[in-house]
Amino acid sequence: VAHLGDVSDHAQAGELVRLAVDSYGKLDILVNNAGILRDRMIFSMTEDEWDSVVRVHLKGHFNTTHFAAAHWRARSKAAGGPVYGRIVNTSSEAYLAGSAGQPNYAAAKGGIVGLTTSTALALGKYGVTANAICPRARTRMTQDVFAGFAEPAGGELDPLAPEHVSPLVGYLASPAAAKVNGQLLVVHGGMVAVMERPRVAAKVDTAKEAFSYEELTERLTPYFEDRPPNETFAAAEVLGLKRG
């Protein structure tokens, strides 16, 4: 059953979830995948280009998740125990690698990861899992992004085919993935990579009651001088992942 509303509209997202529940009696799986692109460098981006991408991606994910979560929580309370619920959110390598021409998209996709981990912790006791994927696939939204990547000849499956992504979505939605929760996975071209959570790389303590500018300069500047200039919080190496 199709609902043709706008997921970035809170009320319409609620109607979408209610349509599923009214049509089938309950909701088991929510896959958030709606998205748009408005690519531009940060110094050229308009306010509307920023707002529209964040609204569709990040707010859209929140809207449907909000109503689905309320549905599962109510069912769990009525049942007196956990119910079956699965959320699969769509993040992006643009967040992981820090895509320079997509500040709006990268920010929204990073926000979705935060939304996912928060949701996973909040809904776990109700039997619901929430995970995020970073897919690379040729779709209507990415047709210009991947225009320079030719499709293989000879009937071989395109490494950018959505068929490489959909099995992972099905797996995360299945009973087999009951122990997979709050995770971020990259998927494309016959490969799935489980991303590691951020870890503390260094820690400095003040020798006084509070840091001064001078003490921070003394403690932090040498640390960053010894690091490669392009080594930031972004994980650009994820773009080089491939099968094999």
Side-chain angles (χ1 to χ4, degrees), residues 60-78:
H61 275 57
F62 159 75
N63 285 342
T64 52
T65 298
H66 166 79
F67 291 104
H71 167 75
W72 285 318
R73 180 172 179 264
R75 279 178 52 201
S76 177
K77 287 192 170 185

Side-chain angles (χ1 to χ4, degrees), residues 133-239:
I133 63 171
C134 295
R136 192 186 301 181
R138 207 185 299 272
T139 67
R140 285 181 299 166
M141 191 186 78
T142 62
Q143 60 186 356
D144 293 334
V145 176
F146 295 128
F149 295 82
E151 297 187 41
E156 297 178 18
L157 184 62
D158 184 0
L160 293 172
E163 286 85 348
H164 289 297
V165 176
S166 53
L168 177 61
V169 177
Y171 167 73
L172 292 174
S174 75
K179 299 295 185 181
V180 185
N181 194 26
Q183 302 297 323
L184 177 64
L185 303 96
V186 176
V187 55
H188 59 80
M191 178 218 75
V192 175
V194 180
M195 298 306 299
E196 183 64 275
R197 64 178 179 84
R199 296 187 180 275
V200 178
K203 175 178 173 289
V204 297
D205 297 317
T206 180
K208 307 171 184 178
E209 185 176 359
F211 275 113
S212 65
Y213 168 83
E214 291 77 15
E215 187 182 13
L216 285 171
T217 301
E218 179 183 338
R219 302 293 298 280
L220 288 179
T221 298
Y223 173 77
F224 285 104
E225 284 180 344
D226 291 337
R227 291 182 62 160
N230 293 325
E231 186 175 317
T232 69
F233 190 75
E237 64 273 13
V238 74
L239 299 178

Side-chain angles (χ1 to χ4, degrees), residues 7 12-18 20-21 26-34 58-72 75 84-90 115-116 119 123 128-133 168-170 172-174:
V7 294
Q12 291 185 56
E15 293 168 5
L16 184 155
V17 172
R18 282 191 293 273
V21 174
K26 63 176 180 176
L27 178 70
D28 297 308
I29 301 159
L30 171 65
V31 179
N32 285 309
N33 193 51
L58 184 52
K59 187 182 178 186
H61 275 57
F62 159 75
N63 285 342
T64 52
T65 298
H66 166 79
F67 291 104
H71 167 75
W72 285 318
R75 279 178 52 201
Y84 189 96
R86 298 286 187 269
I87 300 172
V88 183
N89 289 332
T90 307
L115 172 65
T116 302
T119 302
L123 300 186
V128 180
T129 66
N131 294 284
I133 63 171
L168 177 61
V169 177
L172 292 174
S174 75

Side-chain angles (χ1 to χ4, degrees), residues 82-102:
V83 296
Y84 189 96
R86 298 286 187 269
I87 300 172
V88 183
N89 289 332
T90 307
S91 183
S92 172
E93 293 170 291
Y95 151 67
L96 289 171
S99 179
Q102 298 179 302

